[in-house]
Amino acid sequence: MRVLVTGGAGFIGSHVVATLRERGHEAVVFDVREDPAADVRDAAAVRRALAGVDAVCHQAAKVGLGNGVADAADYVSHNDLGTAVLLAAMAEAGVRTLVLAGSMVVYGEGRYACARHGVVRPGPRAVAELDAGRFEPPCPVCGEDLSPGLVREDAPADPRNVYATTKLAQEHLAASWARCTGGSAVSLRYHNVYGPGMPRDTPYAGVASFFRSALARGESPRVFEDGRQRRDFVHVRDVAAANAVALEAPAASGALTAYNTGSGDPHTVGEMARALAAAYGGPEPVVTGEYRLGDVRHITADSSRLRAESGWKPETGFEEGMTEFARAGMRGA
């Protein structure tokens, strides 16, 4: 299979390219890092790149939480306009298979249960509560404590920041393309991806990159809130394998199918910082109590659907992955 990988020179994209080639596919890299003309928003460049292509693995995106709404136009341009240009060119070229780099951020907060009111959906956390160090979202009905659980693909979307909004819009665009063309679209909703080749020293990288960059400078990782926020840290090689499986497996025509793509082994951010610091041999993390508006408290995945329908399963455990990541090289921003 000849696969166009947009963002194929990036952190996740480069691992996708390597995995596809290992599995006998021809992976074609389309990335401004390698060629300034390879901009997914450039319709002519995209049309040229699609020549002879069987499928597209769309990894190109502006990632991270961003800076409030100050860079909203940039996010929309890269993520949504870029996706729209790509899909229009695919429709014209007759390419009917798409795997999209989705994200768990489309859910907002994860799944919560109240002892009295069952499953509930807390709203955005109030600034006054965050300033007071009350980080756990309360039950929206009675105000009591909640128990976090695993979120499934059928959970309602509730993006809490600009980046999350653009990732949800990408899915809507891909679904429209699939309906119009009869194509098959899969969105792999990545959880917190980490591993060798993560970009360093950039505000748009993930929390694992922040911590690893701090350790490389001889500094303590700075853990926001109280460090007890839960995430699903999934190794980049496992994410790359999920992309390959999604491209190879038959998918529903005329629709978009979303799959959570996580390790299935949730950990707190504080646990991750401590594991990384221990493996690196650097200073212990510092819990700062700081927060970022737009962050959610707990978001962890139920990835059983992807496992059941494709046979994919993550191969790299948390301790093994963090040990490797502590010693691995990182790339420039």
Side-chain angles (χ1 to χ4, degrees):
M1 186 187 306
R2 181 177 169 90
V3 183
L4 181 69
V5 184
T6 69
F11 166 46
I12 298 175
S14 61
H15 284 273
V16 171
V17 168
T19 297
L20 288 174
R21 290 173 177 167
E22 288 169 3
R23 296 169 78 110
H25 301 293
E26 181 184 359
V28 180
V29 175
F30 187 83
D31 196 308
V32 291
R33 296 174 185 84
E34 290 198 350
D35 179 1
D39 189 327
V40 76
R41 297 167 295 181
D42 184 331
V46 172
R47 283 195 295 268
R48 289 192 297 271
L50 285 170
V53 162
D54 302 301
V56 172
C57 190
H58 185 30
Q59 304 294 317
K62 187 176 179 67
V63 300
L65 185 60
N67 183 23
V69 296
D71 46 10
D74 204 23
Y75 272 96
V76 171
S77 176
H78 281 87
N79 297 355
D80 299 338
L81 175 59
T83 299
V85 170
L86 173 66
L87 294 172
M90 289 175 64
E92 180 183 341
V95 180
R96 296 292 181 263
T97 302
L98 171 71
V99 174
L100 173 68
S103 176
M104 54 81 184
V105 295
V106 301
Y107 297 118
E109 287 285 354
R111 186 179 189 275
Y112 292 87
C114 172
R116 292 174 56 192
H117 297 101
V119 176
V120 295
R121 291 188 60 78
R125 295 180 293 172
V127 170
E129 294 295 302
L130 294 170
D131 284 341
R134 292 187 287 269
F135 302 118
E136 295 288 344
C139 174
V141 181
C142 66
E144 294 299 317
D145 292 341
L146 298 174
S147 298
L150 301 180
V151 63
R152 300 186 308 189
E153 290 89 350
D154 58 1
D158 186 17
R160 298 288 176 89
N161 54 62
V162 168
Y163 169 63
T165 302
T166 65
K167 295 305 289 182
L168 182 58
Q170 283 185 314
E171 290 194 352
H172 288 318
L173 288 165
S176 296
W177 166 84
R179 286 191 296 270
C180 289
T181 64
S184 65
V186 170
S187 177
L188 298 176
R189 290 175 175 170
Y190 302 160
H191 279 247
N192 290 70
V193 186
Y194 74 97
M198 278 195 92
R200 64 176 180 270
D201 299 324
T202 167
Y204 298 100
V207 66
S209 173
F210 294 164
F211 295 165
R212 176 67 173 74
S213 296
L215 289 165
R217 296 191 300 268
E219 300 171 3
S220 295
R222 295 176 60 82
V223 180
F224 280 15
E225 300 188 17
D226 58 4
R228 296 176 184 169
Q229 55 272 48
R230 287 161 54 91
R231 297 292 188 268
D232 185 317
F233 299 100
V234 58
H235 196 278
V236 66
R237 285 195 300 272
D238 289 328
V239 168
N243 277 271
V245 166
L247 285 164
E248 294 164 353
S253 298
L256 177 136
T257 306
Y259 291 107
N260 289 333
T261 308
S263 71
D265 182 26
H267 289 269
T268 68
V269 172
E271 287 173 338
M272 188 269 284
R274 290 191 293 274
L276 195 56
Y280 190 85
E284 286 288 308
V286 174
V287 177
T288 69
E290 298 172 87
Y291 64 86
R292 296 191 303 175
L293 281 177
D295 268 345
V296 297
R297 180 60 174 174
H298 304 294
I299 176 68
T300 53
D302 179 349
S303 300
S304 59
R305 182 183 184 188
L306 179 59
R307 298 186 190 208
E309 296 186 10
S310 72
W312 170 86
K313 62 183 179 68
E315 301 290 346
T316 303
F318 179 77
E319 295 296 337
E320 174 192 355
M322 288 299 162
T323 299
E324 178 198 26
F325 182 46
R327 300 166 182 168
M330 299 180 74
R331 66 173 65 198

